């Protein structure tokens, strides 16, 4: 019951926030959460992968590198550290 009440309050607050900013002429931007690029270049990147966690089972290329073609995304993917790059494409 308490968790449902919290979810309802969050929903109403999120709606009110979006409604206010839409009324002020702002656009809501949903920037990607997963990216293949390092946006800031200053921090640790958090890898997102479906490859095995056991090192001996990770597929490798002939050169001994991780074979990301067998991963869900087909290349190295990370949690994004910044939505700024997506925001800049919308800037006027």
């Amino acid at each position: 019951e308490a968790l449902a009440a919290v979810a309802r309050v969050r929903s109403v607050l999120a709606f009110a926030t979006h409604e206010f900013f839409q009324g002020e002429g702002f656009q809501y931007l949903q920037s990607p959460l997963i990216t293949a690029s390092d946006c800031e270049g200053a921090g640790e990147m958090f890898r997102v992968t479906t490859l095995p966690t056991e090192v001996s089972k990770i597929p490798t290329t002939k050169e001994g590198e991780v074979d990301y073609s067998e991963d869900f995304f087909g290349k190295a993917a990370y949690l994004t550290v910044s939505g700024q790059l997506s925001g800049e494409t919308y800037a006027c």
Side-chain angles (χ1 to χ4, degrees):
E1 184 71 28
L3 184 59
V6 169
R8 287 191 297 273
V9 169
R10 287 187 61 174
S11 176
V12 169
L13 290 173
F15 177 77
T17 301
H18 288 279
E19 187 176 40
F20 170 79
F21 283 106
Q22 287 284 320
E24 296 293 315
F26 289 87
Q27 292 182 359
Y28 181 61
L29 169 66
Q30 293 188 16
S31 61
L33 299 176
I34 299 174
T35 183
S37 58
D38 183 4
C39 299
E40 308 266 335
E44 180 76 22
M45 294 180 64
F46 301 97
R47 186 177 312 278
V48 177
T49 185
T50 58
L51 295 176
T53 55
E54 192 174 327
V55 175
S56 63
K57 294 183 179 180
I58 296 175
T60 57
T61 63
K62 292 177 185 176
E63 294 79 25
E65 301 291 326
V66 174
D67 185 3
Y68 287 106
S69 68
E70 295 191 31
D71 201 358
F72 180 82
F73 298 103
K75 58 183 173 182
Y78 307 91
L79 290 177
T80 187
V81 294
S82 173
Q84 181 177 347
L85 289 177
S86 295
E88 288 175 359
T89 62
Y90 284 79
C92 297

